[in-house]
Amino acid sequence: MNNILIAPSLLAADFANLQRDIEMVNASDADWFHIDVMDGHFVPNISFGMPVIEAINRHAKKPLDVHLMIEKPERYLAEFKKLGAANITVHYEACTHLHRTLQQIKDLGCLAGVVLNPATPVSVLEEILPDCEMVLLMSVNPGYGGQKFIESTYDKVRKLRTMIQEKGLNTLIEIDGGVNQETGQKLVDAGADILIAGSYVFGAKDPIETIANLKKIK
C-alpha cells in the first residue's frame, strides 16, 4: 500500500469520555477505529462488551476494525457484524477451524484477518495465507495496553511480507502494540500497511496532530 492506514485503539481512550474521544478520531486523519474485544479467558483482561461497541458504532464515522481476543470467536461473528464491524480479526491460537471461521467472516461481508501472538511464527500461515485479507501481528503480548514494543517484530514483518509477495497476494499487514513515530516508521520500512496506536495517540497532548504525523509515514 502507498498510503499507510492508521487505526487508533479505543482501549487507550478515556472510557468516561468515550464519545469525546470518538469524535476526536472522527475529526482526525485516522482511517479506522481499532476495537480490542477481550473475554478474560483467552487474555487476562476484559474490555468492551456488546452494548459499548453498539454505542461506539452510533458515533463513529469511520470503519470499526474489531480484534477478537476471545475463545471460540466463531460463536459471535454475526453479532459483531450487526454491531457495526467492518473488519474482524481472530487469533490463530484461538481457532480450531480457522479456514471455516475466515469464510464465515467473509460471508458476513467483513474483511477477514488472522492475528498472531508474539511467540507464534508466521510460518503457521503457509496454508491459510491465501484466505487472509489481512494479518495482524501482535508486537506486544495481548491483554493490556501500554506495553513495551517487542523488537523481533520487525523481522517478523519482513518474513510475512516476503511470504505475501512470493504467493502473489494482496494481504495487508497490521501491527498492534507499542506503535509510535519511531517504531511506526521502522514497521512500515519492514512492510507493514496498517498501524494501530493506543496510548501513543490518546496519551498525547495533541492526539489529532499525533495521528497526522503517523499518517505522514511513508
Side-chain angles (χ1 to χ4, degrees), residues 4-11 32-36 65-67 69 89 115 134-139 149 173-180 183-184 187 192-202 214:
I4 301 305
L5 301 183
I6 305 300
S9 174
L10 289 182
L11 187 65
W32 297 343
F33 285 90
H34 185 75
I35 300 178
D36 291 305
D65 181 41
V66 177
H67 172 191
M69 301 185 192
T89 51
V115 190
M134 55 198 293
V135 174
L136 195 170
L137 299 180
M138 293 300 301
S139 44
F149 182 85
I173 300 176
E174 186 173 19
I175 309 297
D176 187 0
V179 170
N180 56 36
T183 59
L187 287 164
D193 302 296
I194 307 156
L195 301 177
I196 298 165
S199 54
Y200 182 65
V201 166
F202 291 100
L214 286 171

Side-chain angles (χ1 to χ4, degrees), residues 6 9 23 25 27 31-32 48 66 86 96 105 131-133 142 144 147-152 162 177 195 203 216:
I6 305 300
S9 174
E23 290 172 352
V25 175
D31 300 280
W32 297 343
F48 303 100
V66 177
T96 304
I105 295 171
D131 297 287
C132 301
E133 293 168 299
Y144 296 96
Q147 298 182 65
K148 185 179 179 181
F149 182 85
I150 297 173
E151 294 289 324
S152 60
T162 298
L195 301 177
K216 291 175 184 175

Side-chain angles (χ1 to χ4, degrees), residues 128-187:
I128 199 66
L129 193 57
D131 297 287
C132 301
E133 293 168 299
M134 55 198 293
V135 174
L136 195 170
L137 299 180
M138 293 300 301
S139 44
V140 299
N141 286 294
Y144 296 96
Q147 298 182 65
K148 185 179 179 181
F149 182 85
I150 297 173
E151 294 289 324
S152 60
T153 305
Y154 301 124
D155 188 48
K156 200 170 183 179
V157 174
R158 285 189 284 269
K159 289 178 181 177
L160 179 56
R161 176 54 61 198
T162 298
M163 285 178 65
I164 291 169
Q165 291 174 339
E166 288 178 348
K167 293 179 180 294
L169 303 173
N170 296 314
T171 308
L172 302 175
I173 300 176
E174 186 173 19
I175 309 297
D176 187 0
V179 170
N180 56 36
Q181 200 70 28
E182 179 184 359
T183 59
Q185 183 65 65
K186 292 179 180 178
L187 287 164

Side-chain angles (χ1 to χ4, degrees), residues 6-152:
I6 305 300
S9 174
L10 289 182
L11 187 65
D14 181 351
F15 287 4
N17 292 282
L18 198 51
Q19 183 178 349
R20 179 203 65 189
D21 285 355
I22 291 168
E23 290 172 352
M24 180 278 292
V25 175
N26 283 338
S28 76
D29 292 334
D31 300 280
W32 297 343
F33 285 90
H34 185 75
I35 300 178
D36 291 305
V37 179
M38 306 178 186
D39 63 359
H41 296 280
F42 181 68
V43 291
N45 199 1
I46 297 174
S47 61
F48 303 100
M50 305 292 188
V52 177
I53 297 174
E54 183 179 24
I56 290 169
N57 189 48
R58 284 201 303 270
H59 297 284
K61 296 180 181 178
K62 299 179 181 188
L64 303 188
D65 181 41
V66 177
H67 172 191
L68 299 183
M69 301 185 192
I70 64 177
E71 294 179 355
K72 299 180 180 178
E74 64 277 2
R75 296 174 296 174
Y76 302 106
L77 299 176
E79 184 67 24
F80 282 112
K81 168 63 177 178
K82 290 178 184 177
L83 293 172
N87 318 325
I88 299 177
T89 51
V90 295
H91 273 260
Y92 170 86
E93 303 86 0
C95 293
T96 304
H97 303 288
L98 183 56
H99 181 272
R100 180 187 299 162
T101 301
L102 289 175
Q103 295 307 312
Q104 286 178 298
I105 295 171
K106 291 178 183 179
D107 289 345
L108 290 169
C110 296
L111 197 69
V114 173
V115 190
L116 298 185
N117 281 339
T120 305
V122 296
S123 58
V124 301
L125 298 174
E126 181 67 33
E127 300 300 327
I128 199 66
L129 193 57
D131 297 287
C132 301
E133 293 168 299
M134 55 198 293
V135 174
L136 195 170
L137 299 180
M138 293 300 301
S139 44
V140 299
N141 286 294
Y144 296 96
Q147 298 182 65
K148 185 179 179 181
F149 182 85
I150 297 173
E151 294 289 324
S152 60

